[in-house]
Amino acid sequence: MKMFVMFLIITHVSQHVSAVDMNEGDQFVLLRCEFPTMELDFPTVMWSRFDLSPSTVHQHQQEGDELKNQNQLYSSRTSMKPDALKTGDLSLNLTQLQLSDSGTYTCSVRTVRGERRVADVQLQVKERFPSWAKALLVLLIVAVGLLVHFRHYFMSVQHVEGNSGMESVQLPCETTVRLPEDVRVEWNDIQYNNVHVYQNGSDKPEEQHQDFKGRTEMKRDLLKTGDLSLTLKYPTDWDRRTFTCTVYSREGNILIKKLVKLQVKDCQVEVKEGVESVQLPFRTTGDLPEDTTVWWECEEPKPEVTTHLYLNGSDRPGEQHQFYRDRTEMKENLLKTGDLSLTLKCPTVRDTGTYVCYVISQNIWRMKTLMLNVKKRPQDKDETVDIRNRSSFTDPTPLMADQSV
Ligand SMILES: *[C@@H]1O[C@H](CO)[C@@H](O)[C@H](O)[C@H]1NC(C)=O
Ligand SMILES: *[C@@H]1O[C@H](CO)[C@@H](O)[C@H](O)[C@H]1NC(C)=O
Ligand SMILES: *[C@@H]1O[C@H](CO)[C@@H](O)[C@H](O)[C@H]1NC(C)=O
Ligand SMILES: *[C@@H]1O[C@H](CO)[C@@H](O)[C@H](O)[C@H]1NC(C)=O
């Protein structure tokens, strides 16, 4: 009887409504509910969402949690204090919040004599930061970082086209920025070889890579005009590279950086078999050092066969492959004039291939590749056609015989 009276007394505790805002993914939320259950006989605490079926979110009684009717959505995500019924703190701890947790949670206390709705808690779970936005943000940060770090590589590349018959090609690099007197201008290739260095008002040929020795020139008054373009003399396929033009301040900071990609067309020579001779052209700068070796080699289809060798001031027929014996000739004064062209006499189809000429001295290294194509003589062509005609005539005969039957 006493229990019954107590229950009636407490039923006039006003029902409490509260609202809670959370974000998706939050660790937990405590949905508040208090009621002096210590005075009751065998109370059961029910947390429910009446918009769900089953509506039970959590159930707790003297023996402990009773979760057999729990809605699957809340499986393993709810808890109440073990001593809740003794203290009257019936708050529900809901973990790993999801968007679908939004709703009204009703806390009620039930005894054998009746049920009391104690509190309604409106829970709103908001989308934190949509995941695609998160991914986008990460991407953006990475991209900005990369851009800052590799900013020189994202610069536009200027394309220059040349061919290996040209006397020179210009690699453009111009600036409108007023440059101080003490800058260092470096032309490099993509492998960081120094192509040309200008510092302190003059060129520094001693810093130049051997591939470019004696072949480069920059403009006069380049700091005044801002025209830092490089003239590269007698370009060959060996110069197919990406070049960088960089201006450093005295402290070593990069003031300007530009990229220039040089494309040099293949050198192709075509003749018909039967001509007296063919010339494999190669011109380069004159006044080459006396120790210069000029070495013509066939690389394809024959594997690295010496076509002609000029060493220490004279031809070396002894080093030449017998296939080319007495058939090659170089110019007089070739080191003086820089005309390293090779004359090949009586070319035949068997001379067709890829030829490379190397120019090597103490500190010079140059090379050029040529494609020689020697075509068959027209009479030879006719012969092959005749053979084909004859064989194609023998075939239709039985067919025609069949038709006549
Ligand atoms: C709710 O439960 C989580 C997980 O068990 C726990 O880390 C957190 O401390 C609890 N919150 C409260 C207020 O008891
Ligand atoms: C540049 O020239 C000045 C004087 O002409 C000299 O003192 C200085 O060492 C030079 N710097 C370099 C890097 O050559
Ligand atoms: C090059 O030729 C000079 C004289 O013509 C000779 O003294 C020298 O030994 C030669 N060097 C080589 C590597 O053959
Ligand atoms: C041989 O064939 C060519 C075409 O392939 C043709 O033009 C020519 O007339 C033929 N010659 C004879 C003798 O049939």
Side-chain angles (χ1 to χ4, degrees), residues 267-281:
C267 177
Q268 304 206 354
V269 178
E270 198 175 279
V271 285
K272 284 205 177 86
E273 209 173 42
V275 296
E276 203 173 295
S277 70
V278 61
Q279 206 172 92
L280 308 183

Side-chain angles (χ1 to χ4, degrees), residues 198-291:
Y198 176 95
Q199 189 169 19
N200 230 3
S202 60
D203 297 322
K204 304 273 169 210
E206 66 277 9
E207 293 190 41
Q208 195 170 26
H209 190 267
Q210 57 183 8
D211 287 3
F212 303 99
K213 276 254 156 70
R215 290 205 294 135
T216 59
E217 224 168 71
M218 288 186 78
K219 302 263 155 81
R220 286 159 162 261
D221 293 331
L222 53 97
L223 295 182
K224 274 204 201 91
T225 60
D227 186 355
L228 312 177
S229 304
L230 184 77
T231 302
L232 180 62
K233 296 178 195 164
Y234 299 105
T236 70
D237 52 290
W238 186 238
D239 300 316
R240 269 180 213 149
R241 311 173 193 212
T242 299
F243 294 87
T244 58
C245 165
T246 317
V247 181
Y248 294 92
S249 70
R250 191 176 36 184
E251 297 76 29
N253 296 323
I254 294 177
L255 304 177
I256 296 162
K257 185 151 185 166
K258 298 200 171 172
L259 298 183
V260 182
K261 186 171 182 170
L262 176 60
Q263 186 57 257
V264 181
K265 282 201 204 107
D266 281 334
C267 177
Q268 304 206 354
V269 178
E270 198 175 279
V271 285
K272 284 205 177 86
E273 209 173 42
V275 296
E276 203 173 295
S277 70
V278 61
Q279 206 172 92
L280 308 183
F282 186 7
R283 267 208 86 97
T284 190
T285 62
D287 295 320
L288 291 165
E290 285 192 1
D291 70 334

Side-chain angles (χ1 to χ4, degrees), residues 326-371:
D326 299 328
R327 291 208 296 135
T328 59
E329 210 171 84
M330 293 194 73
K331 302 264 158 80
E332 299 269 315
N333 289 325
L334 52 106
L335 298 185
K336 188 107 199 78
T337 61
D339 186 352
L340 312 179
S341 306
L342 182 75
T343 303
L344 181 61
K345 296 175 200 159
C346 305
T348 68
V349 176
R350 290 170 65 209
D351 288 314
T352 294
T354 304
Y355 292 79
V356 182
C357 179
Y358 298 95
V359 181
I360 306 158
S361 83
Q362 191 73 32
N363 48 28
I364 284 182
W365 177 272
R366 297 177 191 175
M367 68 171 260
K368 176 178 177 169
T369 311
L370 285 111
M371 270 44 120

